[in-house]
Amino acid sequence: MDRIRITGGVPLEGSIPISGAKNAALPLMIASLLTDETLTLDNVPRLADVQQLFHILANHGVDTSFQGKRTGQDQLAGQTVDLLARAIVDTTAPYDLVSKMRASFWVIGPLLARMGEARVSLPGGCAIGTRPVDFFIEGLRALGANIEIEAGYVVAQARAGLIGNRIRLPKASVGATHTLMMAATLARGETVLENAACEPEIADLGECLIAMGAKIEGHGTSTIFIEGVPRLRGARHAVMPDRIETGTYALAVAMAGGDVTLEGASADHLEKPIELMRQAGADITVTNRGMRVRRNGHGIYAVDAETAPYPGFPTDLQAQFMALMTAGKGTSHVTETIFENRFMHVQELARLGAKISLNGQTATIEGVKTLKGAPVMATDLRASVSLVIAGLAAEGETEVSRIYHLDRGFERLEQKLSRCGAQIERVSA
Ligand code: UD1
């Protein structure tokens, strides 16, 4: 199995192109199930999760073709993909495909809306909490679907089509918002989705659905109005830049020091993380190329962070922020409020010499002067990149194993970091 080997202590200098957002690309690809015309997506990142979703969509009958690169285009530029679901050939999403990635469960919305039936395995994904699907089930029932759980599958039927309704999510779930918004586009009448998640990826999906002919207002806010239409058409849409990748590399620079421009990054979606990184001592400016991050000379200050739904501090940056705080001057607290089991990185960071104690959902971090390289193990997608960040700043060699977690969500991580001078390489066992 591949590992990533890092020799730490080198400041990062240069530029990193920011990829299309994984968490936007996945629902956008799933939206192709809603129409029998071609959906063209630009800026799709090359990631294991994206590949996995291509397999899942192919199983339902989606033809995928990749448009070639234009001459002179950066080798790290995103790809353009045509997705065509002329006919849905299978409304079952089987366990062996869905168990690898939670977001694949979201196909239930478009399949049910277009075909009047769907049979989707209960999902898998990162082991960061129980992550149930009760909001999806209750929401789809409110749209008129009949739903049973049979042998690990959610079996949904709405033979006469879905019917718009008022739905209030018990908690602002990103996945339930994507799924119910997609389902409601083809329902009869109006759906009002209250307490919807406000993440920018939901606004991005909403824009694409509108380009496909959907009638949606309020996407990106906590109340979304969807007026159902009989059919959707093809469209072209560019996947938004990845705010989590952006925040991750910004935190890497804050930790290792240096001066890096994150090309194509959008600072608009990172208000809270930028505020906290500035408090921690990073110098962040918005330029016409993206976002410039610097930390020269002075140390890292201890800052508290608490995760919250957007626009709060994202849970997907919690592990990376904690890595930064392990080298802070003084004591900081990091509180996780979204997932109940998202501290698996704590014991791995401790192997590098970090001093962290856990009390319920809050980690108390006592900054240390230097971290020391060590072998560590990736445990989930975002946790694994926190170990890379810590390794970049640690003295000596850090080897991160089980990096298939990283490949799920970070495109060409070693290339992007090594072009900024980082001593980082992938080694095959
Ligand atoms: C998405 C993101 C993930 C991010 C998370 C929170 C994608 C592909 N994944 O995951 O990277 O960490 O948002 O920002 O976009 N919940 C229920 N019942 C449900 C659904 C959710 O109780 O039916 C709970 C979850 O357990 C969790 C909370 O709601 O505590 C939020 O989860 P949710 O927003 O649904 O996360 P995902 O969509 O899975």
Side-chain angles (χ1 to χ4, degrees):
M1 238 187 289
D2 286 1
R3 296 187 302 274
I4 281 191
R5 187 181 293 152
I6 304 161
T7 307
V10 186
L12 303 172
E13 304 279 343
S15 68
I16 295 178
I18 294 302
S19 295
K22 169 181 91 75
N23 285 358
L26 300 178
L28 287 165
M29 288 163 62
I30 290 173
S32 68
L33 291 167
L34 287 164
T35 174
D36 61 1
E37 295 182 17
T38 301
L39 175 64
T40 301
L41 296 177
D42 294 306
N43 203 28
V44 176
R46 291 172 184 74
L47 296 170
D49 271 10
V50 167
Q51 284 306 327
Q52 177 65 14
L53 187 55
F54 283 137
H55 288 306
I56 291 164
L57 294 176
N59 181 61
H60 297 303
V62 180
D63 287 330
T64 306
S65 54
F66 296 84
Q67 294 184 12
K69 269 209 165 0
R70 288 182 296 279
T71 30
Q73 215 173 17
D74 191 310
Q75 55 137 340
L76 295 180
Q79 51 195 345
T80 294
V81 186
D82 289 328
L83 297 139
L84 175 58
R86 200 184 297 282
I88 303 289
V89 296
D90 193 342
T91 52
T92 294
Y95 172 77
D96 56 329
L97 293 177
V98 179
S99 58
K100 297 203 177 86
M101 181 183 35
R102 181 174 163 88
S104 49
F105 182 77
W106 305 350
V107 298
I108 195 166
L111 287 176
L112 184 60
R114 178 162 160 195
M115 304 302 291
E117 60 170 41
R119 190 169 160 269
V120 181
S121 168
L122 286 162
C126 282
I128 55 177
T130 49
R131 303 181 90 178
V133 291
D134 47 336
F135 305 163
F136 296 71
I137 292 175
E138 286 317 311
L140 292 171
R141 278 191 179 135
L143 296 178
N146 185 355
I147 299 191
E148 307 284 345
I149 311 285
E150 285 169 13
Y153 279 77
V154 179
V155 182
Q157 288 191 331
R159 293 273 179 238
L162 295 171
I163 302 158
N165 202 348
R166 183 172 284 269
I167 303 169
R168 187 172 178 83
L169 291 177
K171 202 167 161 186
S173 153
V174 172
T177 303
H178 280 309
T179 304
L180 296 172
M181 184 164 78
M182 285 192 275
T185 58
L186 293 179
R188 277 197 312 280
E190 189 183 60
T191 297
V192 182
L193 199 50
E194 292 174 341
N195 198 28
C198 302
E199 268 66 3
E201 292 77 14
I202 289 160
D204 203 33
L205 174 66
E207 286 305 308
C208 177
L209 293 170
I210 290 169
M212 293 166 73
K215 292 193 177 148
I216 304 178
E217 280 176 20
H219 47 303
T221 76
S222 60
T223 307
I224 306 178
F225 301 88
I226 306 130
E227 179 70 44
V229 294
R231 64 183 299 273
L232 295 179
R233 54 177 183 266
R236 181 167 196 148
H237 182 84
V239 179
M240 63 177 279
D242 196 318
R243 64 193 168 100
I244 303 303
E245 189 195 29
T246 305
T248 298
Y249 289 126
L251 284 159
V253 181
M255 179 121 195
D259 183 348
V260 172
T261 294
L262 302 173
E263 281 170 35
S266 169
D268 291 351
H269 303 139
L270 282 162
E271 237 173 77
K272 190 68 190 175
I274 288 175
E275 181 192 318
L276 297 188
M277 284 190 268
R278 282 184 174 142
Q279 286 172 17
D283 179 1
I284 301 178
T285 45
V286 177
T287 72
N288 52 10
R289 284 170 61 202
M291 221 170 97
R292 184 174 175 193
V293 187
R294 282 173 290 182
R295 189 178 63 79
N296 295 318
H298 58 77
I300 298 161
Y301 302 105
V303 175
D304 293 347
E306 179 169 323
T307 64
Y310 188 81
F313 187 80
T315 173
D316 285 352
L317 286 176
Q318 182 255 103
Q320 300 90 310
F321 190 80
M322 194 185 299
L324 176 66
M325 287 301 110
T326 62
K329 287 183 199 159
T331 305
S332 61
H333 304 93
V334 172
T335 303
E336 172 60 51
T337 71
I338 310 288
F339 294 111
E340 71 272 23
N341 185 22
R342 209 173 198 180
F343 283 128
M344 266 122 50
H345 42 287
V346 167
Q347 59 185 24
E348 297 303 307
L349 288 169
R351 295 171 62 78
L352 300 173
K355 288 199 176 143
I356 308 172
S357 58
L358 270 180
N359 186 2
Q361 291 299 97
T362 298
T364 302
I365 305 121
E366 258 178 69
V368 293
K369 259 213 174 83
T370 43
L371 296 175
K372 296 243 162 60
V376 288
M377 196 189 285
T379 52
D380 70 63
L381 171 52
R382 310 302 179 182
S384 49
V385 84
S386 76
L387 303 173
V388 172
I389 291 180
L392 289 171
E395 272 177 8
E397 198 173 282
T398 296
E399 227 176 59
V400 186
S401 57
R402 300 206 179 163
I403 55 166
Y404 51 85
H405 288 294
L406 272 178
D407 294 333
R408 287 189 43 212
F410 288 90
E411 183 175 4
R412 304 187 199 208
L413 174 107
E414 327 80 90
Q415 277 109 313
K416 289 191 182 190
L417 285 168
S418 56
R419 67 188 245 168
C420 293
Q423 305 284 305
I424 180 168
E425 58 176 346
R426 184 177 287 247
V427 285
S428 301

